[in-house]
Amino acid sequence: MEAVKQGSACVGLCSCTHAVLAAINKPASELSSYQRKVFRIAEHAGVALTSLTTDGHVLSRFLRNECINHSFVYEAPLPISRLALKLVDRAQLSPRDTTTTFFVNDN
């Protein structure tokens, strides 16, 4: 339940030519600073997070590695639809017990 309390809001807008990601950066307490919630994955992709920062770093690193591997092999950017499928597949492999956070365990 604490993870839900520490989450924040994100919104994404897109048009035919542009996309915008925005996130609320609120500090966890008065003495701490805010955590970065918007990450650049590749030249053509980014992600905004509402979950814990630890989960976000793991997910952004995974997505960034997938984009880099695809660009090295095919010399083209990874399509967003395929990137979304890779993220869903990764989420299905993660442990679902209550003792760990959702994405922190690297399998």
Side-chain angles (χ1 to χ4, degrees):
M1 209 56 195
E2 188 64 29
V4 173
K5 292 178 186 175
Q6 290 181 10
S8 63
C10 293
V11 67
L13 302 170
C14 70
S15 70
C16 296
T17 58
H18 294 80
V20 176
L21 290 174
I24 296 175
N25 289 332
K26 64 178 184 178
S29 69
E30 292 180 11
L31 299 177
S32 65
S33 64
Y34 64 88
Q35 298 290 323
R36 212 171 120 199
K37 296 287 186 175
V38 179
F39 297 100
R40 183 177 184 176
I41 301 302
E43 291 288 326
H44 68 290
V47 64
L49 305 166
T50 61
S51 64
L52 294 175
T53 308
T54 309
D55 295 341
H57 285 291
V58 172
L59 284 178
S60 65
R61 186 176 60 228
F62 169 73
L63 294 174
R64 190 175 302 119
N65 286 337
E66 292 296 321
C67 286
I68 290 170
N69 290 339
H70 187 273
S71 65
F72 282 149
V73 172
Y74 299 106
E75 296 180 357
L78 181 62
I80 299 298
S81 59
R82 195 168 307 151
L83 189 63
L85 286 174
K86 288 183 179 287
L87 178 62
V88 170
D89 290 341
R90 169 70 184 225
Q92 293 297 322
L93 293 176
S94 294
R96 299 205 187 267
D97 62 293
T98 58
T99 58
T100 61
T101 58
F102 193 65
F103 292 106
V104 172
N105 270 348
D106 285 332
N107 295 335

